[in-house]
Amino acid sequence: VGKSTVDDDVLDELEEILITSDVGVDTTLKVIRRIEERVARDKYMGTDELDVILREEVAGLLAENQTEQLSDFEIPGGVKKPYVILVVGVNGVGKTTTIGKLSAQFKNKGYKVLLGAADTFRAAAVDQIKLWGERTGVPVVAHGMNTDPSAVAFDAAKKAAEEGYDIVMIDTAGRLHNKVNLMNELTKIKRVIQKFIPEAPHDVMLVLDGSTGQNAVMQAREFTKATQVSSLAITKLDGTAKGGVVIGISDEFKIPVRYIGVGEQIEDLQIFNKDEFVDSLFKK
Amino acid sequence: MFDNLSTKLDKAFKNLKGQGSITEINVATTVKEIRRALIDADVNFKVAKEVTDEIKNKSLGQDILISVSPGQMLVKITQDELTSLMGGTQENIVLEGNPAVILIAGLQGSGKTTFTGKLASRLKKEGKSVMLAACDIYRPAAIDQLKVLGEQVGVEVYAEPENKNAVEIAQKAIAEAKAQNKKVVIVDTAGRLAVDEQMMNEIAAVKDAIQPSETLFVVDSMTGQDAVNTAKTFNDRLDFDGVVLTKLDGDTRGGAAISIRKVVEKPIKFISYGEKMDALDVFYPERMAQRVLGM
Ligand SMILES: Nc1nc2c(ncn2[C@@H]2O[C@H](COP(=O)(O)OP(=O)(O)OP(=O)(O)O)[C@@H](O)[C@H]2O)c(=O)[nH]1
Ligand SMILES: Nc1nc2c(ncn2[C@@H]2O[C@H](COP(=O)(O)OP(=O)(O)OP(=O)(O)O)[C@@H](O)[C@H]2O)c(=O)[nH]1
Ligand SMILES: [K+]
Ligand SMILES: [Mg+2]
Ligand SMILES: [Mg+2]
């Protein structure tokens, strides 16, 4: 954006930046329309000002955390323990890895953490989460492969309640959101946990792959229908993909982004920072 | 979306009454609608621009037929353009050497290991003896995962859990396959990002050492705008022979297929459409073009 006044070239360039960040046509046009309106009011706006306004407009679409703004790897205060996080998403987005990384962060904060290996379907999924548990020193409730995932989730919740755990995170098998049976299975897992802890899960975290394009919108829609998603984690932002689709998702479904994944190691998880995220869209 | 697009195009042509053919002026809005539809389908921004410019050139001067609406006509031109762009004919993988070696590469979680199992199963059904090489030494339980799949499809997996050298494991797997008189070795590798120099060096070194007759780049069909960057870098480093498009059992439009084809000019050879070991098929350009357009 190297011009002194806001003209069509500047707006075209803006459009390209947003579209190539996977922001999507609708959300991009929405942002541009709002910029145009503001420019029309103040005809002589310079590009410096445009930069500020643009960042404001984009950041404005990212939903705020409904509960309280968590500035660290914490769970909201005043919740009866254990705090249950159900982790869902399509295949291969990084659910298990995110759980592994999160368990280390929560543990560092002094929480007593338990994991539930409710992906009993994908080859060696139980081994994978067990290895993460070993890495981070967090116990894993597992019944083995090809067992009932609801039973695993139930047992994990039960153990957590009985043994005074603070947080329990349930890993689930990757599933495409257009597969009705698999989505129903998720609803069932949720119901089974509620039999034991009525207010659980306290958080249903949808994990999105940062390199996914517009299909992520459908993912958000369908997973929300099945499980009332309450937070998002965006993974694989250590690459060149920008993850811009989350802006439209956050705006449409009012779900806050909580974490971003920036690598495969334990420490590669960060609290989502709106301003840094918006900045990264405009970084060359 | 097809109806949607064709209706939109008709609307864009509304002022056309009385004009007998497609001209520079009357096609402009239409082309914009097509471009938008392509971008909505995750075709890369620049690629969408190039493709719609070609569509525009092809449509200019064409007579508007009475029997079809101009919108439908433009959709047909678009569909043909996309189909030919993705390669008119089916291309097979090349199996040469004793054993023939197939190298699998791609981003994290794209579906490489699953595809490795599927391809093994397919080749086995064709009567070929296959061995799998477990060269992902990083991801927790990656070797176990491949072993489970190998067992499912009845194909042996060569692994060295203690060895941290992917090149060496691949070489030894090939030597072992040769000793056992196996015809094909499929080498599963760790997922990696194109910007990860060290990991890109590793896969380049693996390729160098084992000289595969077929290198396949596995890509998630839900990938967005970044598909071009990734495909370009992998192709620069590996000069791969073909692309595998995965997770097509979802409802993604799969525009990445077009972006990749356009940018690296390598054929898409297989599609993967499920987690089961038989959910594998060859690629049909026409079906993909229709999918991208939502037909
Ligand atoms: N570069 C990078 N890779 C990641 C990140 N998060 C996860 N991965 C990798 O992505 C791949 C898939 O991660 P998983 O955690 O197995 O994904 P999942 O969603 O549990 O997959 P399924 O259970 O098979 O659906 C692995 O190779 C991870 O190491 C990230 O933030 N950056
Ligand atoms: N629905 C569906 N899922 C698939 C398909 N291909 C792979 N998967 C799933 O996607 C997830 C990731 O697949 P993997 O084969 O582990 O991917 P990968 O590329 O080997 O992953 P890394 O080794 O971590 O880089 C798993 O849950 C697979 O079951 C497909 O065509 N359709
Ligand atoms: K990035
Ligand atoms: Mg998993
Ligand atoms: Mg793998």
Side-chain angles (χ1 to χ4, degrees):
Chain A
V1 193
K3 292 220 171 161
S4 58
T5 54
V6 180
D7 56 17
D8 282 354
D9 282 352
V10 173
L11 291 176
D12 279 352
E13 199 177 327
L14 176 57
E15 183 187 340
E16 178 167 355
I17 289 171
L18 294 175
I19 295 280
T20 53
S21 302
D22 288 314
V23 171
V25 176
D26 286 336
T27 309
T28 296
L29 292 180
K30 185 170 175 178
V31 170
I32 288 184
R33 225 174 292 122
R34 279 157 73 158
I35 302 274
E36 276 174 337
E37 279 165 19
R38 288 177 72 161
V39 171
R41 257 181 283 150
D42 177 8
K43 279 184 200 142
Y44 303 103
M45 185 190 294
T47 28
D48 285 352
E49 271 173 284
L50 175 69
D51 246 34
V52 174
I53 284 172
L54 180 56
R55 275 157 219 252
E56 276 173 25
E57 289 293 346
V58 176
L61 296 175
L62 288 160
E64 298 293 343
N65 208 322
Q66 277 108 343
T67 51
E68 55 193 272
Q69 196 62 44
L70 301 173
S71 57
D72 207 339
F73 290 98
E74 290 166 354
I75 52 171
V79 175
K80 201 175 132 216
K81 291 184 176 155
Y83 187 81
V84 182
I85 306 175
L86 180 65
V87 180
V88 302
V90 301
N91 308 82
V93 287
K95 294 175 293 298
T96 309
T97 308
T98 302
I99 288 172
K101 295 175 192 170
L102 256 178
S103 65
Q105 295 289 353
F106 284 144
K107 203 185 159 204
N108 284 344
K109 285 278 152 199
Y111 293 114
K112 197 175 164 193
V113 184
L114 183 68
L115 305 181
D119 178 358
T120 60
F121 178 72
R122 214 229 38 239
V126 174
D127 291 333
Q128 186 188 5
I129 193 165
K130 275 188 178 166
L131 281 168
W132 270 106
E134 274 170 35
R135 255 189 204 177
T136 62
V138 163
V140 179
V141 173
H143 293 178
M145 294 303 298
N146 304 312
T147 60
D148 177 11
S150 304
V152 178
F154 181 84
D155 276 4
K158 185 160 178 280
K159 180 181 166 76
E162 287 172 355
E163 299 177 19
Y165 281 86
D166 299 308
I167 301 173
V168 51
M169 285 187 275
I170 312 288
D171 190 20
T172 61
R175 67 200 73 222
L176 293 174
H177 50 282
N178 59 338
K179 302 202 167 160
V180 178
N181 290 342
L182 296 179
M183 295 307 278
N184 287 343
E185 183 190 85
L186 269 190
T187 317
K188 186 184 162 203
I189 292 175
K190 199 177 150 172
R191 255 202 335 264
V192 168
I193 300 172
Q194 284 166 343
K195 268 192 205 155
F196 199 73
I197 308 172
E199 63 277 22
H202 304 81
D203 186 11
V204 178
M205 186 184 300
L206 174 67
V207 181
L208 299 172
D209 183 327
S211 63
T212 304
Q214 298 311 301
N215 192 252
V217 180
M218 319 266 222
Q219 294 171 22
R221 182 168 300 134
E222 295 307 320
F223 276 97
T224 297
K225 266 190 213 155
T227 59
Q228 283 168 302
V229 173
S230 49
S231 72
L232 301 172
I234 323 293
T235 62
K236 309 184 194 175
L237 289 181
D238 42 329
T240 41
K242 305 280 193 180
V245 66
V246 66
I247 293 168
I249 290 174
S250 189
D251 181 40
E252 182 175 347
F253 304 99
K254 305 294 172 224
I255 309 169
V257 185
R258 198 156 283 156
Y259 307 112
I260 62 165
V262 291
E264 299 184 83
Q265 305 307 315
I266 292 187
E267 65 277 10
D268 294 329
L269 186 75
Q270 297 171 2
I271 303 275
F272 178 71
N273 179 312
K274 216 185 243 198
D275 297 326
E276 278 174 22
F277 182 77
V278 174
D279 273 351
S280 78
L281 299 185
F282 299 102
K283 224 175 272 158
K284 290 275 164 183
Chain B
M1 190 173 180
F2 166 56
D3 283 340
N4 203 340
L5 179 61
S6 140
T7 316
K8 272 186 191 156
L9 298 189
D10 280 339
K11 223 157 83 196
F13 272 111
K14 207 171 55 201
N15 303 325
L16 242 165
K17 281 194 196 102
Q19 293 176 254
S21 65
I22 295 174
T23 67
E24 190 78 51
I25 299 160
N26 64 33
V27 84
T29 350
T30 323
V31 163
K32 212 167 163 185
E33 288 293 348
I34 296 172
R35 186 174 300 166
R36 194 188 152 154
L38 293 178
I39 291 170
D40 272 337
D42 290 323
V43 176
N44 175 266
F45 184 78
K46 287 206 177 76
V47 172
K49 229 171 195 156
E50 285 165 28
V51 171
T52 45
D53 283 347
E54 281 159 38
I55 290 165
K56 185 171 149 187
N57 288 336
K58 288 203 171 132
S59 58
L60 280 180
Q62 288 212 24
D63 292 336
I64 291 168
L65 306 173
I66 311 228
S67 52
V68 294
S69 75
Q72 283 168 339
M73 196 172 143
L74 253 291
V75 168
K76 177 80 173 78
I77 294 174
T78 305
Q79 190 194 329
D80 290 348
E81 178 65 23
L82 296 185
T83 304
S84 80
L85 202 137
M86 282 183 289
T89 51
Q90 165 58 44
E91 291 200 45
N92 288 321
I93 51 170
V94 175
L95 297 178
E96 271 166 13
N98 192 18
V101 177
I102 305 172
L103 176 62
I104 310 297
L107 294 187
Q108 285 93 347
S110 55
K112 296 176 294 300
T113 306
T114 307
F115 170 72
T116 301
K118 290 179 182 181
L119 184 59
S121 171
R122 185 183 175 96
L123 293 173
K124 193 184 165 204
K125 279 183 191 144
E126 288 172 8
K128 298 180 180 88
S129 52
V130 183
M131 180 175 275
L132 302 181
C135 291
D136 179 353
I137 51 182
Y138 308 98
R139 169 174 166 164
I143 297 173
D144 299 321
Q145 185 189 2
L146 191 64
K147 279 188 174 164
V148 169
L149 298 180
E151 205 161 292
Q152 266 178 37
V153 302
V155 166
E156 195 183 324
V157 175
Y158 184 89
E160 294 186 33
E162 302 307 319
N163 193 341
K164 288 292 161 213
N165 183 334
V167 175
E168 221 174 86
I169 300 168
Q171 285 173 321
K172 286 196 190 162
I174 292 164
E176 178 63 23
K178 198 167 190 156
Q180 291 189 27
N181 204 19
K182 301 264 201 247
K183 292 294 167 244
V184 185
V185 178
I186 311 176
V187 180
D188 182 32
T189 63
R192 64 203 74 221
L193 290 171
V195 289
D196 189 336
E197 263 307 300
Q198 208 180 328
M199 289 297 283
M200 290 308 286
N201 287 341
E202 182 201 64
I203 189 103
V206 169
K207 182 176 179 188
D208 227 40
I210 63 175
Q211 298 290 319
S213 66
E214 184 77 28
T215 301
L216 293 171
F217 175 61
V218 178
V219 57
D220 186 324
S221 60
M222 295 178 273
T223 311
Q225 296 286 316
D226 192 53
V228 288
N229 300 327
T230 302
K232 218 189 277 170
T233 310
F234 270 83
N235 195 46
D236 287 347
R237 295 303 301 270
L238 294 179
D239 189 20
F240 56 72
D241 303 292
V243 176
V244 179
L245 212 53
T246 64
K247 308 180 196 174
L248 277 167
D249 44 330
D251 54 7
T252 179
R253 297 234 176 270
I258 291 168
S259 308
I260 293 171
R261 180 68 210 227
K262 181 98 181 158
V263 166
V264 301
E265 295 182 324
K266 296 286 169 69
I268 299 165
K269 294 194 172 174
F270 290 105
I271 60 162
S272 181
Y273 58 91
E275 297 190 77
K276 301 242 169 68
M277 285 297 103
D278 58 357
L280 181 70
D281 204 350
V282 293
F283 177 71
Y284 301 97
E286 192 172 347
R287 284 188 206 166
M288 197 65 217
Q290 289 173 343
R291 182 181 181 125
V292 169
L293 290 173
M295 299 165 75

